[in-house]
Amino acid sequence: MQVYDVFNGDADGICALHQLRLAGPEPGAILVTGVKRDIRLLDRLVEVRNATITVLDISLDSNRASLLQILAGNRVRYIDHHFAGEIPTSANLEATILPAPELCTSLIVDNLLAGRHRPWAIVGAFGDNLHAPAQLAAESLSLSGEETTNLREVGELLNYNSYGKTPTDLYFHPLELYNAVKPYRNPLEFHRDSEVLKKLRDGFKDDMERARQTDLFRETAAGRIYLMPDESWSRRVAGVFMNEKARERENQAHALLVDNGDRTLLASIRAPLANRTGADTLCRKFPTGGGRAAAAGVNSLPERMLEEFITAFSETFSA
């Protein structure tokens, strides 16, 4: 029976899959992934039959129609932390979906594996901006401050690589990045030795220097909104820049709008770290919107809806 591994191309998706395959290797698995915003990955598998499919870190709700077709002829294991809506009832579906704001898919997998590969779960959690849970997990392993800092850098750089309109915006296709991670049981060795990570570190430094020069576009009582141009660096930096801004003011929400170059905007939203709720509710009000309670986005917000979006942002996070 053919095996498929379907995973989000960000740090959380990569680290969730890496933990699973360290615990139970599937050397013949066909890998399916893409940029972080490419969440309807199951659309690619609707013709597949008689396979075992593992799905990690993509919204069931966004993939519902394809999943229902796939369940007719395949066994699916689904692990995720995004809003799912109603979970289908099927003997072919094993679902572990926990949309708690302090969880990511890597931490869910860590629990399923009883902590067997926890350092990679820590990397995934840091990448998903879950610094407090990641820190607690690091303390459970008695990691030093330097080791924890290094795991945080790995997570943030893996996540940085996932943001883009298409893979051409990225330094590495997520498949290439996963394959670079795959040989390493210990992420601290990956931090020390990987040439891939060195390239991401240099790119991250350059992109963040540009991003930090971005002027504030709009500020409301709810939080801050930034606007960036139609450039690859803008898209690459969207997630980590928002995470940085969220940590600066933990009681406020944050939004980054990036010009898509086609009269639409990419929106990246962070709920206040002090109250990680509302981001998914806000984004689902608009076409192509989705995500989770703490962090969500809209892939193609029409420019004509910008003021409506800003009003909804203010209302959502001022309540």
Side-chain angles (χ1 to χ4, degrees):
M1 182 175 286
Q2 182 62 61
V3 174
Y4 289 81
D5 286 335
V6 184
F7 61 103
N8 195 311
D10 68 357
D12 192 25
I14 289 171
C15 293
L17 177 59
H18 190 41
Q19 289 175 81
L20 281 179
R21 294 300 167 234
L22 284 173
E26 290 285 356
I30 296 174
L31 303 178
V32 180
T33 189
V35 298
K36 182 179 179 69
R37 299 294 179 117
D38 188 0
I39 58 171
R40 293 186 55 177
L41 296 174
L42 292 189
D43 289 355
R44 307 182 194 178
L45 302 185
V46 292
E47 301 299 327
V48 170
R49 292 294 182 269
N50 301 315
T52 298
I53 301 170
T54 297
V55 186
L56 298 161
D57 199 36
I58 60 172
S59 164
L60 187 153
D61 194 54
S62 297
N63 287 271
R64 183 176 306 280
S66 295
L67 176 62
L68 292 174
Q69 293 182 62
I70 289 166
L71 287 172
N74 306 276
R75 296 190 62 82
V76 178
R77 186 183 192 190
Y78 212 119
I79 306 173
D80 186 41
H81 68 128
H82 298 91
F83 172 81
E86 184 177 354
I87 298 174
T89 300
S90 170
N92 284 337
L93 177 63
E94 177 190 349
T96 306
I97 299 177
L98 303 169
E102 293 293 320
L103 280 177
C104 61
T105 307
S106 290
L107 290 175
I108 295 170
V109 171
D110 176 66
N111 184 58
L112 293 173
L113 297 178
R116 286 173 62 184
H117 300 289
R118 182 160 293 168
W120 281 109
I122 295 168
V123 171
F126 273 128
D128 238 27
N129 204 35
L130 294 175
H131 285 214
Q135 186 67 44
L136 286 174
E139 290 171 2
S140 76
L141 299 179
S142 300
L143 296 178
S144 69
E146 181 181 4
E147 288 171 329
T148 301
T149 297
N150 290 345
L151 294 186
R152 171 178 168 176
E153 183 182 38
V154 174
E156 291 179 346
L157 291 177
L158 293 182
N159 209 52
Y160 156 73
N161 184 74
S162 66
Y163 282 85
K165 185 187 299 184
T166 68
T168 58
D169 283 330
L170 312 183
Y171 282 99
F172 301 98
H173 191 285
L175 281 178
E176 187 179 358
L177 196 55
Y178 171 72
N179 285 324
V181 163
K182 192 175 178 179
Y184 292 89
R185 299 184 70 86
N186 185 344
L188 292 171
E189 294 178 0
F190 179 72
H191 181 271
R192 183 190 65 206
D193 298 337
S194 173
E195 293 297 322
V196 162
L197 207 67
K198 292 177 183 177
K199 184 171 182 178
L200 289 178
R201 187 180 291 117
D202 290 342
F204 176 84
K205 180 176 180 292
D206 291 342
D207 286 352
M208 285 299 287
E209 285 179 357
R210 292 185 182 186
R212 287 167 180 152
Q213 295 173 15
T214 301
D215 292 331
L216 184 64
F217 173 67
R218 192 78 62 85
E219 185 165 13
T220 75
R224 296 180 290 179
I225 299 170
Y226 293 84
L227 177 64
M228 290 186 181
D230 176 20
E231 299 285 353
S232 290
W233 69 266
S234 302
R235 294 184 284 274
R236 283 196 301 265
V237 85
V240 288
F241 181 71
M242 278 294 89
N243 291 342
E244 179 176 277
K245 291 301 176 184
R247 291 193 298 271
E248 286 178 1
R249 296 188 185 179
E250 295 190 355
N251 291 311
Q252 286 195 317
H254 290 82
L256 173 61
L257 305 170
V258 179
D259 186 353
N260 281 328
D262 59 1
R263 303 185 68 83
T264 72
L265 300 162
L266 180 148
S268 185
I269 312 301
R270 296 295 182 271
L273 293 181
N275 181 24
R276 295 172 178 263
T277 60
D280 55 344
T281 303
L282 167 65
C283 291
R284 286 200 304 272
K285 293 179 179 178
F286 297 90
T288 71
R292 54 191 174 87
V298 182
N299 287 344
S300 298
L301 177 72
E303 288 181 351
R304 58 181 170 76
M305 301 182 76
L306 176 56
E307 291 304 321
E308 180 183 346
F309 178 84
I310 293 172
T311 298
F313 172 87
S314 298
E315 292 174 348
T316 299
F317 297 115
S318 295

